[in-house]
Amino acid sequence: MSDLSAAFVRLHARLTPVAFVPEVRLHQADEPIGLWELTEGEFHSAQPPPFWAFAWAGGQALARYVTDHPDLVAGRRVLDLASGSGLVAIAAARCGAAAVRAVEVDERAVAAVALNAEANGVRVDAELGDILDGDAGDAEVVLAGDVFYSEAMARRVLRFLLRAARSGARVLVGDPGRAFLPRERFHELAAYEVPVPEALESVRVKHTTVWELDPAPPGAAR
């Protein structure tokens, strides 16, 4: 991670416990809208919004599920796709994953993942890059929190996750009812009422589901 990105994360976010996964501490922003405008991600440039600065509902639910079901990842190689703050990756590392790879397209997110992993005393390999046109490598478990927030992103993510599942990986996602989640491709594992920043979601609690991807086409014989 670059020193500049790490300094930005430390300056604009405080290390605090995650609301729904208090076992994990993250660098989180106190005031979402001001930081969003500061990074100029939404309106002014190609810089991604600061997804790394908040514990989003999908990631919280997925991290909770992993924490409560450590056998899912224990001793396995894990990929956390679009990792954001690294919450899900850190949860997997805490539960004994053999290796955890956290991939992000935002350099500040990569810095946040590294800082957050260090703060939680775990090893996470934070990687900068867009891997959606490739594959999940040697990952045995692929985790993705809150990735179906736009139609274009959802199409690319689904294709990537299907390739991973058809290569033998278990694929789990956490999603708070985003419009572009292809529900027919998943089956439900758990559902939670997750606390969220009201400034981001316009509510204080989001009903959030952890899903597992079925690599077979909808309606195919099992």
Side-chain angles (χ1 to χ4, degrees), residues 36-191:
W36 202 303
E37 292 174 347
L38 178 64
T39 60
E40 299 189 330
E42 187 178 19
F43 303 112
H44 306 293
S45 75
Q47 178 68 23
F51 294 122
W52 56 267
F54 316 107
W56 297 83
Q60 289 197 70
L62 192 51
R64 181 75 268 157
Y65 187 84
V66 168
T67 298
D68 293 342
H69 301 84
D71 289 349
L72 170 69
V73 297
R76 295 180 170 89
R77 298 179 298 276
V78 175
L79 169 64
D80 180 22
L81 182 67
S83 187
S85 64
L87 169 59
V88 177
I90 291 165
R94 292 185 71 255
C95 289
V100 182
R101 178 187 176 204
V103 179
E104 254 293 344
V105 296
D106 181 357
E107 184 175 329
R108 289 169 180 158
V110 172
V113 172
L115 290 171
N116 289 333
E118 181 180 14
N120 286 275
V122 296
R123 165 93 182 259
V124 172
D125 295 320
E127 177 183 326
L128 179 67
D130 182 343
I131 64 170
L132 291 180
D133 293 329
D135 58 44
D138 64 357
E140 298 168 280
V141 181
V142 177
L143 305 171
D146 226 328
V147 291
F148 292 97
Y149 53 82
S150 75
E151 186 174 9
M153 179 70 167
R155 286 197 301 266
R156 295 189 70 209
V157 166
L158 180 61
R159 288 194 294 266
F160 177 89
L161 296 180
L162 283 170
R163 286 194 296 273
R166 289 166 180 165
S167 295
R170 288 193 69 182
V171 176
L172 275 66
V173 306
D175 187 88
R178 304 298 185 204
F180 300 104
L181 173 73
R183 290 168 180 77
E184 71 279 4
R185 306 306 301 254
F186 293 86
H187 65 269
E188 181 178 326
L189 297 179

Side-chain angles (χ1 to χ4, degrees), residues 12-23:
H12 294 286
R14 293 187 303 114
L15 190 63
T16 55
V18 175
F20 200 59
V21 196
E23 299 93 330

